[in-house]
Amino acid sequence: MVFRKPPDGGWGWVIVVVSFFTQFLCYGSPLAVGVLYLEWLDAFGEGKGKTAWVGSLANGIGLLASPVCSTCVSSFGARPVAIFSGFMVAGGLMMSSFAPNIYFLYISYGIVVGLGCGLLYTATVTITCQYFDKRRGLALGLISTGSSLGLFIYAALQKELIDLYGLDGCLLIVGALSLNILACGSLMRPLESPDSPPAEKPSVDKVPDQYFVYHEKEKTVEENISILEKGYIDEKCVNSIPDYKQDSVLSKNVLNSINVSEKDTYKKKVVEQTNFCKQLAKRKWQLYLNYWEETVVLFKNKVFSALFVAILLFDIGGFPPSLLMEDVARSANISEDDYHMPLISIIGIMTAVGKLILGILADFKWVNSLYLYVTTLLMTGVALFAIPFAKSYLTLAMLSGILGFLTGNWSIFPYVTTKTVGIEKLTHAYGILMFFAGLGNSLGPPIVGWFYDWTQEYDTAFYFSGFCVLLGGFLLLLAALPCWNACTNQSSKLPPNSYTYKVASSA
């Protein structure tokens, strides 16, 4: 699919607004699931690790299915996918209000809502990157603050709704609010102008049927010539027959030609259908092979390979605080009178600030987006190591704010991916990276919960989380340093699609 040049404005700002509200509505409840997590612990009486699976699935399953989500957006477009996903998120939240046990929540809240959020996230990021180039960092930062603002508001909203209407009523109301995603999705107009005239020569991908039929006809031209030559020879043989035998031969040929023409027509149709099916199967198989060949090429890039390891370890260690921080405070015996604001709300508002500021920083020419991302990873690891030493609401609130701000690096992650592999491979590469991010999101909170069930304290769990994030940051830094030297010395010898930090820092 060929897109026009990104306008960096115009209808693109409408895309930014509706993408902002889409992420606000779909991610508000899953990111603020820490409030629901405490209610589910009391309602079902299961262990912390087992209950944490609900929230981790809701935030991880959509990322695990990112390759599928990317394929859906590439095949059907952002607008149809967004509308369909709105029904999934709203339906999953409403179904969760009738959950009889924790296993039902795994499906309704974890899988259905999580998959809908993954589809919406891929759709909003993809269409925003198509509309923006020079201001892509700012645009991605603005839309990603929607989920952070949703975390801030939904944390307090869900707590208030639970006090007024109970857990079931809260989920029903939040599900009804999610139906507004349908209105946002309807405004995600694709970049190609709907009024543009169709191309005179349609591409092979858009009209495979016509192409394959025409291709088969071209292949059978030589066969038709040979048939004509054979008929000419037969005609000469008939002319050489005596007159009294020629009439009988011709009469037989006339009768046979009627039956033969009908048989030929049927055979021709069968051959055309068979050839079409063969060509279609070959094309699908070729597309499958091309996908894996492109995947192998991506992993030959050292920076991309380190990036997928870093995002996996970051989500294993960095995601649990947003889900479990309220329970960390309760385990530290902090009085409710000391609470001025839910810790999850602090994480949410600071994440919004971090996404916006980091997104703006990524647009500066003198800022290297990858090194900026590595810096946030290393600082996140240090903050996670400090959580076991926080024994008061004030220190936990400060650490929540720091972690929230650093978690805002999600806004520059698509930016880093684009500069690593190019806009042409963004959907493919981003789908792979989000798969590993989803794996980390799904494993992180249960691992921390199991550590608590095993040791009856969170200290060991957060030491483990901090180590994972620091390891990922150092690996990415080591992979980036040789590429920096290669860029400064041999940037003119590299192909245009290769990763170069000179290009990344000047974009």
Side-chain angles (χ1 to χ4, degrees):
M1 182 177 293
V2 179
F3 296 102
R4 295 182 310 176
K5 184 179 179 180
D8 278 302
W11 191 259
W13 294 118
V14 178
I15 297 296
V16 169
V17 172
V18 297
S19 297
F20 171 88
F21 282 107
T22 297
Q23 293 201 16
F24 173 86
L25 293 167
C26 75
Y27 274 107
S29 180
L31 289 179
V33 72
V35 176
L36 304 176
Y37 171 74
L38 298 177
E39 299 296 325
W40 288 329
L41 280 175
D42 298 334
F44 300 114
E46 301 287 352
K48 295 181 185 295
K50 197 173 184 179
T51 307
W53 271 110
V54 180
S56 62
L57 283 174
N59 289 276
I61 198 69
L63 299 177
L64 281 171
S66 286
V68 178
C69 297
S70 300
T71 303
C72 291
V73 173
S74 299
S75 302
F76 304 105
R79 180 160 51 187
V81 170
I83 294 174
F84 174 77
S85 303
F87 283 110
M88 289 186 64
V89 173
L93 289 170
M94 293 180 182
M95 288 169 56
S96 299
S97 65
F98 303 100
N101 51 54
I102 200 72
Y103 302 102
F104 188 90
L105 285 173
Y106 288 164
I107 298 174
S108 62
Y109 197 98
I111 296 178
V112 177
V113 175
L115 186 58
C117 290
L119 288 167
L120 287 168
Y121 182 79
T122 306
T124 53
V125 168
T126 301
I127 196 169
T128 302
C129 288
Q130 291 170 359
Y131 268 87
F132 289 89
D133 183 18
K134 295 180 181 179
R135 300 177 179 176
R136 185 174 295 147
L138 174 62
L140 291 173
L142 288 172
I143 69 168
S144 60
T145 55
S147 59
S148 304
L149 186 61
L151 169 59
F152 173 72
I153 293 178
Y154 271 73
L157 176 63
Q158 290 184 147
K159 194 170 183 179
E160 187 68 23
L161 290 175
I162 289 172
D163 294 338
L164 293 176
Y165 305 105
L167 179 61
D168 298 343
C170 169
L171 291 171
L172 283 173
I173 295 173
V174 171
L177 288 175
S178 300
L179 289 173
N180 290 285
I181 296 173
L182 307 181
C184 295
S186 63
L187 295 174
M188 293 183 183
R189 189 173 68 191
L191 185 58
E192 306 98 329
S193 176
D195 299 328
S196 59
E200 296 180 0
K201 295 183 179 180
S203 63
V204 175
D205 293 335
K206 293 182 180 179
V207 285
D209 298 2
Q210 294 87 332
Y211 171 79
F212 289 129
V213 172
Y214 179 72
H215 190 59
E216 287 302 316
K217 288 182 179 179
E218 286 185 338
K219 282 186 174 181
T220 57
V221 170
E222 295 180 357
E223 296 177 4
N224 292 334
I225 294 175
S226 63
I227 292 172
L228 291 174
E229 291 177 348
K230 183 179 179 182
Y232 177 73
I233 295 172
D234 291 340
E235 184 180 357
K236 291 177 66 177
C237 293
V238 171
N239 291 334
S240 64
I241 299 176
D243 293 339
Y244 67 90
K245 293 183 179 181
Q246 186 172 348
D247 293 337
S248 61
V249 171
L250 290 174
S251 61
K252 290 180 180 180
N253 288 340
V254 171
L255 294 175
N256 291 335
S257 64
I258 298 174
N259 296 329
V260 170
S261 62
E262 294 179 355
K263 292 180 180 179
D264 289 344
T265 303
Y266 175 76
K267 290 180 179 180
K268 184 178 180 181
K269 291 181 179 180
V270 172
V271 170
E272 287 182 354
Q273 293 294 330
T274 303
N275 289 332
F276 171 75
C277 292
K278 289 181 179 179
Q279 293 291 335
L280 184 61
K282 289 180 181 179
R283 179 174 179 270
K284 294 298 182 183
W285 177 251
Q286 188 61 41
L287 290 175
Y288 178 79
L289 292 178
N290 291 340
Y291 177 84
W292 288 108
E293 288 176 0
E294 291 176 1
T295 303
V296 172
V297 171
L298 286 174
F299 278 98
K300 288 181 179 179
N301 186 331
K302 290 188 296 183
V303 177
F304 179 82
S305 298
L307 199 59
F308 97 86
V309 175
I311 193 65
L312 172 64
L313 295 176
F314 171 74
D315 280 276
I316 289 177
F319 176 67
S322 62
L323 177 61
L324 303 174
M325 192 60 80
E326 296 293 334
D327 194 49
V328 170
R330 188 166 72 172
S331 301
N333 297 320
I334 296 176
S335 174
E336 293 185 0
D337 296 335
D338 297 334
Y339 266 67
H340 303 290
M341 182 184 297
L343 296 175
I344 297 180
S345 295
I346 296 175
I347 293 176
I349 193 63
M350 290 305 297
T351 302
V353 174
K355 286 179 176 179
L356 187 60
I357 293 178
L358 292 174
I360 294 173
L361 284 176
D363 283 332
F364 284 108
K365 295 181 179 181
W366 50 271
V367 174
N368 187 291
S369 57
L370 183 62
Y371 285 159
L372 178 63
Y373 183 75
V374 170
T375 302
T376 60
L377 294 183
L378 298 178
M379 294 178 66
T380 300
V382 174
L384 289 170
F385 273 113
I387 289 179
F389 299 98
K391 301 299 181 183
S392 65
Y393 173 81
L394 180 61
T395 54
L396 283 176
M398 292 175 61
L399 288 175
S400 297
I402 294 172
L403 288 171
F405 180 85
L406 296 173
T407 307
N409 61 9
W410 274 101
S411 67
I412 62 174
F413 189 74
Y415 196 91
V416 172
T417 306
T418 304
K419 294 302 178 182
T420 303
V421 300
I423 188 63
E424 300 84 3
K425 299 179 181 179
L426 171 63
T427 304
H428 184 187
Y430 199 72
I432 295 173
L433 293 173
M434 288 301 100
F435 173 84
F436 289 100
L439 186 62
N441 270 350
S442 300
L443 295 177
I447 290 175
V448 172
W450 290 330
F451 268 115
Y452 183 91
D453 293 336
W454 178 37
T455 62
Q456 295 302 310
E457 46 88 16
Y458 277 114
D459 295 357
T460 306
F462 282 105
Y463 289 146
F464 170 79
S465 298
F467 173 76
C468 288
V469 177
L470 284 176
L471 178 61
F474 279 119
L475 289 177
L476 185 56
L477 180 62
L478 290 176
L481 289 176
C483 292
W484 172 265
N485 296 330
C487 169
T488 55
N489 296 329
Q490 300 178 357
S491 60
S492 59
K493 299 180 181 180
L494 292 175
N497 290 333
S498 298
Y499 186 92
T500 61
Y501 284 95
K502 183 173 291 184
V503 174
S505 61
S506 62

